[in-house]
Amino acid sequence: MKVAICGAGVAGPTLAHWLLRGGHEPVLVEQSPTFRTGGYVIDFWGVGYTVAERMGILPAVRAAGYTMQELRFVDGRGRKAGGFSADVFRRTMGDRFTTLPRGDLAAEIYRSIEGRAETLFGNTISAIDEHKAGVRVSFGKGADREFDLAIGADGLHSAVRDLTFGAERQFEKQLGYFAAAFEAEGYHPRDDLAYVSYGVPGRQVARIALRENRTVFLFVFTSGRMSGREPRDLDERKAVLHQVFDDAGWECGGILQAMDKSPDLYFDRVSQISMDAWSKGRVGLVGDAAACVSLLAGEGTGLAVTEAYVLAGELSHAGDDYREALRRYEARLRPFIEAKQKSARNLAASFAPKTAIGLWVRNQAARLMGIPMVADLLIGRDMRDDFALPDYGL
Ligand SMILES: Cc1cc2nc3c(=O)[nH]c(=O)nc-3n(C[C@H](O)[C@H](O)[C@H](O)COP(=O)(O)OP(=O)(O)OC[C@H]3O[C@@H](n4cnc5c(N)ncnc54)[C@H](O)[C@@H]3O)c2cc1C
């Protein structure tokens, strides 16, 4: 089958990888003019880790990754106020856990198909017309083309979803937070292999030191902190972060100064996507486009690669019966993904506590993670993947 895939992030290239293995012909369409590396930092583990292993990219992913030692909550003077050793994640996951920039994971996936799958960078899908024998896809640039299927792997704000299923607001569940992230070079202080997090009610900022003297910062704040409409461009986003964090204390002054010099800033609502169906006719969705779990799940990339793997596997097994493949793909994954979405929503209150008492309770609870039995129980409960990865023999 010829398959148009919109989005070369995490899910798109994974889908292309497994479609190639099944003898299909994927074409990726990515809005960014080049493949983007770096970006915010993610934890990669669980069932997606196994998919990466089956793709043969695990050694490269681990080499790009970091073995974090500590999650440290600090107070306004930078003194430790709570936290725990990150060993607990590796112990619970049998050392199958690594931390790395999201774009670096995506790049390792993309490298596995580079030169073998056509990729249209700096382009998008602008229309999809389904007919009896396939789909006619129109692009932002260039002539229309015919495909057997069109798949949206274009993230939380998917254009393919908009085109096929309707406006995003029908499917988006806002979790009450905004998140922002940027990378800076030469920022000090640095704490190698520590995730250093500072919180005041409703606001949280974290810094993670990377190789080559780089640091990634992540801001999370409650939606109520932002007055006025959502910012639309880089300058407006920076202004909002100043408005919310200027008086927050700790290193916020220095961090905001570093942000002012940054040419790039991730800024978005923290949301989930919940749909009644992940496909319609010859159009399917995968990754955040289909069922974003949000950053609160800490596993969106792992789930995106898993969905892509299962979708490609089912397509290869079903022969020409794409309808049955899309049905089986969704039936296999929906209960698992919905459970992940539910547990992420349950976490929302403790992620960036809205009150001083909430912060104190969160820090005390984090201390309990220092007790191995408690940590294994809590992390095992929240992080275990209740999903048997099928083997499609690809
Ligand atoms: C701050 C933050 C922290 C996170 N932390 C973690 C974590 O610790 N662990 C974890 O596993 N997950 C984490 N996640 C979630 C994870 O990043 C996502 O779930 C994952 O990237 C989803 O992959 P995807 O391929 O579906 O979408 P994306 O990675 O968003 O990729 C979508 C791609 O589509 C392209 N695109 C978008 N629109 C169009 C268009 N119209 N036309 C063409 N191309 C388009 C984009 O440029 C992009 O390349 C975090 C997310 C955030 C925001």
Side-chain angles (χ1 to χ4, degrees):
M1 276 187 282
K2 281 187 82 170
V3 184
I5 304 170
C6 191
V10 174
T14 308
L15 180 62
H17 175 111
W18 288 102
L19 285 175
L20 283 170
R21 284 205 191 188
H24 302 290
E25 198 186 325
V27 175
L28 286 157
V29 187
E30 167 59 43
Q31 67 182 5
S32 166
T34 53
F35 200 90
R36 293 180 71 185
T37 54
Y40 54 82
V41 167
I42 56 138
D43 294 321
F44 187 60
W45 47 279
V47 69
Y49 195 95
T50 305
V51 174
E53 190 168 40
R54 292 186 187 177
M55 292 166 81
I57 61 168
L58 208 49
V61 169
R62 286 192 70 111
Y66 296 77
T67 305
M68 300 301 283
Q69 299 298 316
E70 186 188 2
L71 167 60
R72 188 191 310 161
F73 297 123
V74 295
D75 65 15
R77 292 198 200 158
R79 292 173 308 197
K80 186 168 172 168
F84 52 90
S85 160
D87 273 350
V88 59
F89 297 118
R90 287 185 291 277
R91 200 173 57 238
T92 322
M93 296 292 134
D95 198 32
R96 296 168 70 79
F97 185 104
T98 189
T99 301
L100 76 168
R102 174 206 152 281
D104 293 3
L105 171 68
E108 292 308 338
I109 298 170
Y110 186 69
R111 207 161 283 147
S112 76
I113 55 161
E114 201 166 8
R116 295 192 300 130
E118 182 185 355
T119 308
L120 311 174
F121 282 109
N123 210 340
T124 188
I125 290 184
S126 57
I128 303 169
D129 291 311
E130 185 167 346
H131 52 83
K132 232 178 172 177
V135 281
R136 187 174 183 81
V137 174
S138 308
F139 301 93
K141 285 186 256 176
D144 294 0
R145 286 166 66 169
E146 287 289 335
F147 293 90
D148 296 294
L149 294 176
I151 305 293
D154 43 355
L156 174 60
H157 305 295
S158 167
V160 169
R161 192 183 57 228
D162 276 6
L163 289 171
T164 311
F165 298 86
E168 181 171 297
R169 61 175 180 279
Q170 304 169 62
F171 313 113
E172 181 184 8
K173 277 191 186 154
Q174 299 184 21
L175 300 186
Y177 294 100
F178 279 85
F182 74 98
E183 189 184 305
E185 216 182 302
Y187 180 88
H188 283 276
R190 283 171 65 82
D191 292 273
D192 285 328
L193 302 181
Y195 185 97
V196 182
S197 174
Y198 169 70
V200 283
R203 292 172 282 178
Q204 184 166 295
V205 56
R207 68 164 152 77
I208 305 119
L210 301 181
R211 299 181 188 104
E212 293 157 7
N213 207 15
R214 292 173 299 139
T215 303
V216 165
F217 300 91
L218 173 67
F219 301 93
V220 178
F221 60 95
T222 48
S223 308
R225 290 253 154 210
M226 197 172 69
S227 52
R229 65 166 169 77
E230 262 183 52
R232 293 196 185 132
D233 60 24
L234 185 64
D235 288 342
E236 286 186 9
R237 288 169 177 170
K238 286 181 176 176
V240 165
L241 290 168
H242 272 287
Q243 176 215 317
V244 176
F245 285 93
D246 266 343
D247 67 348
W250 187 52
E251 298 172 15
C252 286
I255 292 173
L256 290 167
Q257 260 180 24
M259 176 195 73
D260 287 336
K261 292 186 211 133
S262 171
D264 217 1
L265 175 71
Y266 167 87
F267 188 108
D268 207 348
R269 300 183 290 273
V270 177
S271 295
Q272 294 186 333
I273 292 293
S274 173
M275 306 188 66
D276 290 341
W278 297 349
S279 65
K280 197 180 204 177
R282 291 177 179 266
V283 183
L285 300 173
V286 69
D288 278 3
C292 178
V293 286
S294 88
L295 71 105
L296 301 178
E299 200 185 356
T301 54
L303 301 177
V305 301
T306 304
E307 289 159 31
Y309 168 83
V310 171
L311 175 55
E314 294 297 340
L315 283 169
S316 294
H317 256 222
D320 287 341
D321 194 352
Y322 67 86
R323 276 198 191 85
E324 177 62 6
L326 289 167
R327 192 196 63 73
R328 286 176 61 90
Y329 151 66
E330 182 171 337
R332 271 194 195 273
L333 282 160
R334 182 177 277 279
F336 171 55
I337 300 292
E338 285 183 349
K340 290 284 174 186
Q341 289 187 316
K342 187 165 175 229
S343 78
R345 287 196 298 276
N346 292 342
L347 246 183
S350 60
F351 197 77
K354 293 180 182 158
T355 61
I357 291 178
L359 264 175
W360 183 84
V361 170
R362 195 265 321 259
N363 290 349
Q364 299 311 308
R367 276 180 203 278
L368 291 177
M369 298 286 273
I371 306 169
M373 255 174 59
V374 177
D376 290 351
L377 193 80
L378 291 180
I379 292 200
R381 188 196 63 192
D382 287 335
M383 292 180 69
R384 195 177 308 111
D385 280 343
D386 233 346
F387 183 71
L389 200 62
D391 186 349
Y392 295 102
L394 295 175

